Every structure is written in structure tokens, then in C-alpha cells.
Amino acid sequence: MKKLKFDSYDGVCFLNGLVFFAPVALLVRTQAGVSEHVFFLLQALLSGVIFLGEIPTGFITDKIGYRKSLILAQVLLLGARSLLLAAFVSRSLVLFVVEAVVEGIAACFTSGTGSAYLYALYGENGYLAKTAHAGNFGTAGFIISTVAYAGIYKISGMEGLLITTVVMDIIAVVCSFFLRSESSKAVIADRKEVQILAIFKNKKAFLFVISLAIFSIAWLLINFFYVVKLENCGLPVECMSLIILSYSAVQMLAEPILEKLPVGKNGKSGRGKLPAVTAATAGVAFLLFGVIKFRAAVLLLMLILPLLLNLPEYLLMDLENQFVDEAECGSQRAATLSVLNMGVNLVEILTLSASAFLTKIGIQWCFVFVGCFLMAIALLFARIQK
């Protein structure tokens, strides 16, 4: 496969990864007088806005085109980050609420759009490699912001972290105007109206919704709760930044791995049973991470968990787009993908609302349950692809 070159989409992904306040996102709210309880309510509000806005914004995206929708999402994200800065400086709960709503709308215009955009530009043959390629630039931005945040915070405090992030968002908006336009044939090839909800007559649709929901919970555990597991194994908090940087670097191996996938007849990607195999592998890793207490083994698993989760997730996104084509919903791809993503938002709302319960039953069992669900998904995909 031809080596992918850096383009404006990679640039937007990189700049979006430069969220300098991310390591202390909770402190942005609590230092402004927001309690942890209200913080979780704000996160639930964010997920609720995304849940309600998925379908309407999906239809808008299919009308105006993927490129324009991505530009609009960047503008809205800049507005949300500016509101977050204003809310922190003014200590205003009302502004924090408005920020959550605006960020939710921005996420709605992004949801499914990036995937649809890349599929329209690169087709089935090049979609996986480009998705992983762009994802690596986002990860690179995350690594840089994680390294830089401590210095910025020491020099200019929380305001410095927020202002630097807003500046990066301004550059991201400018960069988004240089995005390539998708082929009109890819979006308007079929103008007949399609009843999108009819896709649920196909059992595959439910499998995609359930799978996306499980992936969402898995990332929630990795991003927020893995620290508890590591601390229980005796690893000091001071090591967490190094661990985050290390697993982010390992995660970037997804691109070269996916690039090596063979190409079959008629340009079909030679995946075979890879979605099932990679999901099963991730499931076993999550299960072991939950039950094993040996420090070295836990640390090794933590370093590879994000990569193991990324691989089946990218493959699933590719299968999603193929499913949209099979269901003859290509002219409403963004709206269809948004419908499938709604299950994720619903699970996030329930998970955030039940966060206290999750910690009571034990974080290790949450990893075990997710591991079992991932293995069950793998079995279902194996049966479907026979």
C-alpha cells in the first residue's frame, strides 16, 4: 500500500489531541467551585445532548456534506473551549452548563462524520490505514500535551492550560478549511429517501450497537479507572504519567499493523476473521487485567490494552461502513452511523449515573465483565462472517 502523506485531516486530528488541560480536567471544574457530584452530572448532560442530537445532526451532515460538517464541528468545539475558559475565570456554573451543551452539539457533528468522510475519500481499500494514520496524529498530540501540561501549569496555572488549548483550537479551525472535499458521487450517489431506522430489521445493526457500547465502556475503564487497579498493585501515582505516555506510544503501532492487512479480490480488504480474533484477544487481556495482581504482568497488560482495543475498534468501524452500503443507506451515511452510535451515548449516560455503583462492586470486576462481553462479541462476529 502506498505510504500515506500528511494532510489537513491529520493536522486537525493532531491539533484536537492537544488538550493541555486533559490531565487535570476534573480540577478545571472543582477549582472553580464545582463539586465532583455536579461534575458527573455535567458529563451526563454532555452525553445526553449527544444522544438527543445524533440523528438530527446526522441528517444535517448528509445535506451539507461531510467537509462542511467537520468545519462546523471545529467551530463549535472552539466555542465550547472558549466557554470553558470563561466559566473557569468567572466561576460560573451556568457557563459550565452552556459549555457542556455546546461541546455536546460539536460532538454530534463529529460523530460518524469523520468515519463517513474517510470512507468516502479512501473507500474500503484505504479506509482502515487512513483511519489509523489519522488516529496516530491525535495520539501524538495527546502525548505532547501530556508532557507539556506540567510546565505550562507551573508557569501560568490553569488559565495557561485553557488559553493554550483555545489557541490550538483556533489553529484547528483554520486547518479544517483546507480539508479536501469528498466526491459528490460518494454522498449523492442515491437520492432516494431511506428509512434509516429500518436498518434494525437486520440483526447486524444490533450487534454494531452493542459492540460500540462495550468499546465505550472499555475506554471509560482505561481512561478513568485503570489508576485504581495500578495503585492496588502498589505502583506509585508518580509513575502514572510515564505509563500514559508509554501506552500511548504502543497504541500508535495500530497503523503499521493494519497497513499490513492483505488486499483481496475486487479491492476487498483481506480481513477474514480478524475482527473476531482481535476482539477475543482484547477480551482475554481485559479479563486478565482484572484478575491478575502480579505487578509486572499488570503493568505489561496496561501498556498493550489500548492497542489491543484499538485494533478491533478500527475493524468494526470499517465493517460498519460496509454494512451501511449493504443496507443501501450510502446517501445518508452520516445519519445512519449516528443512529448506530446512539447506543453508545445511552450506555455512557447510564454508566456515568451509576459510577458510584461501579466503584462499590470493585473496579477489577468491571474489567472482567468487559473482557467477557468482548469475547462474546468476538463469537458473534465469527458466526456472522462464516
Side-chain angles (χ1 to χ4, degrees), residues 53-98:
E54 282 278 14
I55 294 180
T57 54
F59 278 114
I60 292 172
T61 293
D62 285 321
K63 292 292 184 183
I64 67 175
Y66 307 144
R67 177 181 175 274
K68 290 180 181 178
S69 185
L70 290 172
I71 293 173
L72 179 58
Q74 289 301 137
V75 172
L76 287 168
L77 183 60
L78 171 59
R81 297 280 165 74
S82 301
L83 282 167
L84 186 62
L85 173 60
F88 178 80
V89 172
S90 65
R91 307 300 196 259
S92 171
L93 178 59
V94 173
L95 285 179
F96 277 117
V97 171
V98 176

Side-chain angles (χ1 to χ4, degrees), residues 230-366:
L230 294 175
E231 284 182 327
N232 289 341
C233 292
L235 287 165
V237 177
E238 291 76 15
C239 291
M240 298 307 167
S241 293
L242 178 60
I243 293 171
I244 292 172
L245 294 173
S246 299
Y247 80 59
S248 296
V250 173
Q251 188 179 354
M252 295 177 77
L253 293 174
E255 181 186 357
I257 291 173
L258 292 173
E259 277 184 345
K260 293 185 182 300
L261 286 182
V263 178
K265 296 179 180 179
N266 302 320
K268 293 285 184 181
S269 180
R271 289 178 307 275
K273 295 181 178 178
L274 272 176
V277 172
T278 53
T281 304
V284 171
F286 265 82
L287 192 152
L288 290 175
F289 189 77
V291 299
I292 288 178
K293 296 182 179 179
F294 183 54
R295 185 185 300 179
V298 169
L299 186 57
L300 175 62
L301 284 169
M302 186 61 233
L303 292 178
I304 63 174
L305 268 182
L307 172 63
L308 294 179
L309 193 61
N310 255 159
L311 292 174
E313 187 176 34
Y314 284 142
L315 290 163
L316 175 66
M317 290 164 63
D318 189 31
L319 289 175
E320 261 193 297
N321 278 287
Q322 292 178 46
F323 173 69
V324 171
D325 289 336
E326 291 171 9
E328 298 183 346
C329 295
S331 61
Q332 295 175 312
R333 187 178 300 276
T336 307
L337 291 174
S338 292
V339 169
L340 295 173
N341 287 338
M342 286 184 71
V344 180
N345 307 135
L346 182 59
V347 169
E348 284 182 350
I349 295 170
L350 296 175
T351 303
L352 288 165
S353 301
S355 57
F357 174 72
L358 284 175
T359 56
K360 284 182 180 179
I361 67 174
I363 293 302
Q364 69 274 15
W365 292 110
C366 296

